[in-house]
Amino acid sequence: MSTPNPKLWVVDTSTFIHFTIIEMVPMLAEPRRPLRVTRYVYERELCGTNCHARTRAAAKTALDRGYFVIDTLRLDDLERIGTLNVPRKVAMGEITCAVVAERDEGAVLLDDRKAILRLREEVNVRAWESTEDVLVDAAHQHRVSEYQLHDFDAKLESEKYRCRFSLREEYLRQRLSRTVSGSASEGTS
């Protein structure tokens, strides 16, 4: 997905966990450095007492390796959160990511489509991307193969996350579309 180049990306819990499942956290982080995680997301949702040991270990490793930095909410962020008119169904981690991205003119990596729809009405960020967007884009950049996309789909589904579409099929559809539109523009020159 081509988006304006935000100066920072803030990752939510679910997206980080999905990249942990497919063992591709470095691929998520590298083109988006410094990737940010809010302190709330890190301490409560990735490393809290109710978190899976695998998630906690992956989050600590990612922090140690510099894949992301922790962003602490400021007083004006808390005031901004208080002004938002979002349903209680939107998780606090998702809200903190959106508010930090808005404050610093950044973008959010978030997989909950309903939360995005609700937050988009209240918070102005440069872009919203999901696990699917990042993975399909990585295939276009030749950082993963179409066959790896198929494997990622299967691995995520085995962990109870169903992608919005088949990653491999969407990549191939987009690639064909780009090829056809590129051929059409060559013919008009």
Side-chain angles (χ1 to χ4, degrees):
M1 172 178 255
S2 78
T3 58
N5 188 17
K7 57 184 183 178
L8 74 98
W9 288 87
V10 185
V11 65
D12 183 50
T13 309
S14 58
T15 307
F16 181 82
I17 290 171
H18 295 146
F19 277 85
T20 297
I21 290 168
I22 62 172
E23 300 173 6
M24 296 299 279
V25 171
M27 188 192 72
L28 172 68
E30 277 306 321
R32 295 168 186 82
R33 278 193 175 178
L35 185 62
R36 294 201 197 168
V37 173
T38 65
R39 182 165 301 284
Y40 181 90
V41 165
Y42 184 78
E43 290 181 358
R44 302 283 243 135
E45 299 182 355
L46 295 176
C47 294
T49 56
N50 294 330
C51 298
H52 289 101
R54 176 176 67 178
T55 301
R56 188 177 305 112
K60 289 180 179 185
T61 299
L63 182 64
D64 290 345
R65 291 185 180 166
Y67 292 140
F68 62 71
V69 296
I70 297 174
D71 196 311
T72 302
L73 295 175
R74 303 174 188 165
L75 182 57
D76 57 330
D77 296 330
L78 297 173
E79 290 171 349
R80 176 71 174 115
I81 289 170
T83 68
L84 296 178
N85 184 23
V86 293
R88 290 180 186 232
K89 290 181 181 179
V90 178
M92 184 55 70
E94 296 162 344
I95 294 169
T96 63
C97 291
V99 167
V100 167
E102 179 182 58
R103 175 190 74 207
D104 294 334
E105 300 177 14
V108 179
L109 294 160
L110 173 65
D111 287 338
D112 186 330
R113 302 313 292 173
K114 290 180 181 176
I116 291 171
L117 291 172
R118 291 176 175 124
L119 286 166
R120 188 176 269 155
E121 296 172 5
E122 296 283 326
V123 183
N124 185 24
V125 302
R126 302 254 334 242
W128 302 89
E129 288 194 6
S130 66
T131 295
E132 294 92 339
D133 299 325
V134 173
L135 291 173
V136 170
D137 191 50
H140 286 297
Q141 295 173 17
H142 307 291
R143 293 181 17 224
V144 297
S145 73
E146 67 179 271
Y147 303 105
Q148 285 176 291
L149 292 177
H150 176 76
D151 294 342
F152 296 155
D153 249 336
K155 205 168 199 179
L156 289 166
E157 191 163 354
S158 75
E159 294 285 335
K160 304 202 179 3
Y161 177 71
R162 183 154 176 91
C163 293
R164 295 186 328 268
F165 45 75
S166 161
L167 297 171
R168 181 172 182 248
E169 288 175 16
E170 179 62 16
Y171 162 69
L172 292 172
R173 186 193 64 73
Q174 288 179 15
R175 193 171 95 186
L176 177 63
S177 176
R178 290 177 181 188
T179 302
V180 169
S181 66
S183 297
S185 64
E186 286 176 11
T188 58
S189 333

